[in-house]
Amino acid sequence: MIRICCLFFFVVLHSVCLDAQFIELSNNNFYFQNNIFVPLVMNYAVNIRHEDRGRYWISRSMSYYTTPVGTNCRDEKECLEHLIHDFTLIKDQGFNVLRIVDFEFGIKNEELANGIPGTLDISYYYGPLKYHEFVEPFEDHFEVLDKLIQAAKQVNLKIILVSGGKQVDQFPLDEDYNIYLKYLSKRYKDESTIMAFDLLNEPSFFHKGHTKLEARMIVRKWTSTIREQTSHQLITIGLADSHTSFDWDPILLDVDFYS
């Protein structure tokens, strides 16, 4: 069962000219293959799964299963089949973009993290949890992400990838995140399935304590790093309610569009 569904509103800020296989911005509209493109976006959560030492793969979020026994996918092949099934259903319902969450760089679990960014990897029975650290050059995570991208490509869906998680706005993790963004954007610079990199999710709730100037400088650092590696993918930030204007002010942030 897919439980996370959101309606997204987009504000276009910049106009750029890109390859026809990528989503473009021009004259305050999104374009794909020279036609106006209207993003209809669903949030979709994923987990990294593990069973044996050193083996990791992508799975739909464990929260999408009712119980672990009998319905939870049991191996890499079955998890991928479930993922493609979900994506096909989403596509059939009229959506054309997935906003991927729970894969992002950041502090996923305070108790296990010890200040180190990582993801929680979940086994078949919802445990034991393993803390999968993000270690430069991040190839282990990218190999898992490749599978997700291929699944989306198979059913002709674009991806907005939420790349930043908790505490990535705090020094020194903001610098570590900047390094991650460099590797991420360079590796996927020619991947047209990725429509945009989403720097943060609802920062007014999860990334508090900054002045408007501080937030502006942090975002500018990250966007500059991405744009040094690629001009293909767009950059966005997932804002929330009116409180955002007190710190992560949309007027001041150097991104291509807001959602």
Side-chain angles (χ1 to χ4, degrees):
M1 178 184 296
I2 300 171
R3 299 170 182 163
I4 302 178
C5 180
C6 300
L7 178 63
F8 289 81
F9 298 89
F10 295 94
V11 180
V12 177
L13 301 178
H14 299 158
S15 293
V16 294
C17 183
L18 302 175
D19 185 280
Q21 295 303 312
F22 290 84
I23 304 297
E24 305 174 4
L25 290 179
S26 180
N27 299 320
N28 294 320
N29 285 303
F30 293 100
Y31 283 85
F32 178 58
Q33 297 179 335
N34 298 317
N35 296 311
I36 288 180
F37 180 83
V38 180
L40 299 175
V41 188
M42 176 179 282
N43 272 344
Y44 189 88
V46 296
N47 280 132
I48 296 178
R49 290 285 304 280
H50 74 268
E51 291 303 332
D52 300 325
R53 184 178 183 87
R55 290 185 62 242
Y56 302 95
W57 64 85
I58 195 71
S59 168
R60 60 164 62 144
S61 170
M62 295 299 99
S63 66
Y64 293 162
Y65 291 101
T66 53
T67 58
V69 178
T71 61
N72 189 353
C73 60
R74 291 163 290 188
D75 53 38
E76 183 173 1
K77 180 177 181 293
E78 189 174 35
C79 288
L80 186 60
E81 289 173 352
H82 288 191
L83 199 73
I84 294 172
H85 174 271
D86 285 356
F87 290 0
T88 302
L89 175 61
I90 291 167
K91 180 70 174 180
D92 289 345
Q93 294 299 312
F95 295 92
N96 53 22
V97 181
L98 295 167
R99 184 171 180 266
I100 300 298
V101 298
D102 283 351
F103 195 88
E104 57 267 19
F105 182 99
I107 302 297
K108 193 68 175 179
N109 183 290
E110 294 284 355
E111 294 181 2
L112 298 177
N114 195 28
I116 299 173
T119 58
L120 284 177
D121 303 339
I122 300 176
S123 73
Y124 176 61
Y125 293 104
Y126 291 176
L129 295 177
K130 293 171 65 178
Y131 197 70
H132 192 180
E133 296 179 5
F134 280 93
V135 179
E136 187 179 342
F138 316 108
E139 278 299 314
D140 52 344
H141 279 83
F142 292 156
E143 288 172 4
V144 177
L145 181 57
D146 285 345
K147 301 293 186 181
L148 186 148
I149 291 172
Q150 289 303 313
K153 184 179 294 187
Q154 182 172 326
V155 299
N156 198 27
L157 286 167
K158 297 292 186 181
I159 286 174
I160 295 175
L161 180 66
V162 179
S163 53
K166 292 182 179 179
Q167 300 186 29
V168 295
D169 58 318
Q170 301 295 324
F171 182 82
L173 201 59
D174 63 325
E175 294 293 342
D176 295 333
Y177 180 42
N178 199 42
I179 294 171
Y180 173 75
L181 288 174
K182 177 181 178 180
Y183 279 93
L184 177 71
S185 54
K186 182 177 182 179
R187 193 182 200 279
Y188 294 105
K189 62 185 176 66
D190 296 320
E191 180 49 71
S192 59
T193 301
I194 299 179
M195 170 183 172
F197 299 113
D198 191 332
L199 297 175
L200 287 176
N201 180 58
E202 298 181 350
S204 60
F205 292 113
F206 303 111
H207 304 270
K208 300 179 179 180
H210 294 291
T211 66
K212 292 190 182 193
L213 178 59
E214 289 170 338
R216 179 187 183 187
M217 297 307 294
I218 291 171
V219 169
R220 177 174 289 181
K221 174 174 63 178
W222 294 337
T223 56
S224 295
T225 294
I226 293 173
R227 289 175 180 142
E228 286 174 0
Q229 304 303 318
T230 179
S231 60
H232 286 159
Q233 286 85 10
L234 304 173
I235 304 173
T236 185
I237 188 166
L239 302 179
D241 57 20
S242 59
H243 290 285
T244 299
S245 62
F246 293 114
D247 40 31
W248 300 84
D249 191 334
I251 284 265
L252 301 177
L253 303 183
D254 180 24
V255 296
D256 296 309
F257 67 94
Y258 301 118
S259 58

